Structure formats: C-alpha cells, structure tokens
Amino acid sequence: MTYPTPPVYAQPQVAPPKQARFGALAWTAVILGIVGVVGSWVIFLNNLTAIAAFVGIVLGVIALFGTRKVLAAVGVVLCVLAIVLTVVAQQAAVKELDKILGDVGQGQTNAPGETARQDALAENNTWGKQYTWPNGLSVDVAAPVACTPGQYAAPANIARAVRFEITITNGTTATFETALMSVGTDAQFNGQKADMVFDTSGGCDSTFDSATVLPGKAYTFHVAYAVGASPGEMQLVFEPTFNSEKAAFVGQA
C-alpha cells in the first residue's frame, strides 16, 4: 500500500533590506558643514574649514541623487553657510587690521583736547602740535613766521620766505642723533616743492645742525623756506630714521 507524498510548500523569499545609497556621503557633508560653521570665526583656521566645507558641498550634491536626500540637503546648506561666514569673518578681520595699521602709521598727536593725528589733519592746521613716534621720540613745529632773506640768500628771487621753529624731544631711553632725521627735504607749498632757504646774512638763516639729543632732553632749531607771494597751505614731513614712520604737519603759511 502506497501513501501519497505530502505536498512541499516553498518558503516565501524575503527581499533583502534596501541599502541606503550615498548615505555615507550625506553624513560626511553634514559633518563637514558643522566643522566649517564652527571654525568659520577662527582666523587662519577658517581657511582650512572653508576648504572642508567646499568638499562637503561636492559630496552633498552627489548624495542628493541617493536615498538620504534630506540629510544631503542639510549638509549642503551647512557647508554653504560655513563658506559665507568664513568670508564675512575674514573681511571683518582685514578691516580691523587695516584700522590698526593705520593708527600705528599715524603715530600720536598730543595737544590739549586732541590725541589723534587725523583730527589735527582734518582741521588742516597742525602748527603748535606735537607728533610722537611709538618709541617716544617727538617733534614740535611752531607756526611759521615771515622772514626777510638777505642779499645773498639762496635760492634767488624769493617771492616770500617763512621760518619755522622745530623742537625734537627725546623721550626714548637712548641718545638720538639729529643727523639721522630727514629735515627740510620733504616740504611742499600749495602742492609744489618748497625750497629750503640758505641765508647767512639775512633773517632767514636755518640753524639745523648735527646734534646729540640725550634721553629726556630737547633740541630746538630753525628752518626757512621759500614760498609763494600769497599765503597758502604748507606741508612739512619728518622721518627720524630711514624707512621709519613719517610725521606730516600741514597748515597755512
């Protein structure tokens, strides 16, 4: 007697879980975006974080074609934000640096109620003010006084001459040689070069000479210039040593 063979039932096949496509790229873009945003305000370091954010943008765009589209979009947005913040931070740093360098280059102007040299220049009158270099050396220029050149004064045919009293004060801890200072060569009257007057027989003699100024001491001398027949704007520039900061004085003469 034979028995019928029981039917064999096939087990239903279970579909393998669907793998996330480009999921790792999406997560990488998010991480790089976070790093870029956090590091965007750290000067010098933000250059590296901005590069990382740019890489994150590329990876995030690729991940947008995968299964983690929302995550990829978040990563792209974070990376773009990181780059924007980096640019803003660097521009702010450059402006602040320019301001600091400008203040250092201008030195200090000491006068009652005024401490900034730019304020003095804005008034277009710095005679009687004091300019101080960062090392403590300072120079004062008194208001010009009209003088009459002698017969043999140079240059010839002087329409009008003015004489300045200049004082160098050594506020440093070392001696200062006046021969190192550029005096008289950089002078302008109404936008044109003003020539120094050499006058041994008249009232426009220049008394500047090489001298050693000890710390805490001052040295005063006079310099005369040939100017135009009518009053105008005079500019004198002083430079204590070669390639150092320049002190500019501007006013009527």
Side-chain angles (χ1 to χ4, degrees), residues 108-134:
Q108 302 174 359
T109 301
N110 300 322
E114 294 181 5
T115 57
R117 173 174 171 265
Q118 55 268 34
D119 291 342
L121 291 178
E123 295 177 0
N124 201 27
N125 183 2
T126 58
W127 310 137
K129 309 293 179 66
Q130 183 182 77
Y131 183 99
T132 303
W133 282 275

Side-chain angles (χ1 to χ4, degrees), residues 147 149 152-156 158 160-164 166 181-189 192-199 204-209 221-227 234 236-238:
C147 63
Y152 303 104
I158 299 175
R160 188 168 61 93
V162 292
R163 192 166 181 255
F164 292 88
I166 302 171
M181 176 172 282
S182 173
V183 176
T185 57
D186 193 351
Q188 298 179 25
F189 181 78
Q192 297 183 353
K193 179 176 175 57
D195 294 323
M196 183 184 295
V197 176
F198 297 93
D199 184 19
C204 295
D205 58 313
S206 298
T207 61
F208 177 73
D209 200 358
F221 57 94
H222 298 83
V223 179
Y225 294 94
V227 295
M234 187 82 181
L236 296 180
V237 178
F238 299 88

Side-chain angles (χ1 to χ4, degrees), residues 5-20:
T5 303
V8 178
Y9 297 96
Q11 294 292 333
Q13 295 183 353
V14 179
K18 188 176 180 181
Q19 295 181 349

Side-chain angles (χ1 to χ4, degrees), residues 7 20 35 56-57 87 91 103 122 126 155 157 159 168 228:
V35 172
I57 292 176
V87 173
Q91 288 179 346
D103 292 340
T126 58
N157 302 321
I168 298 174

Side-chain angles (χ1 to χ4, degrees), residues 165-191:
E165 180 178 276
I166 302 171
T167 301
I168 298 174
T169 303
N170 187 1
T172 71
T173 57
T175 59
F176 177 73
E177 301 295 333
T178 59
L180 299 176
M181 176 172 282
S182 173
V183 176
T185 57
D186 193 351
Q188 298 179 25
F189 181 78
N190 283 342

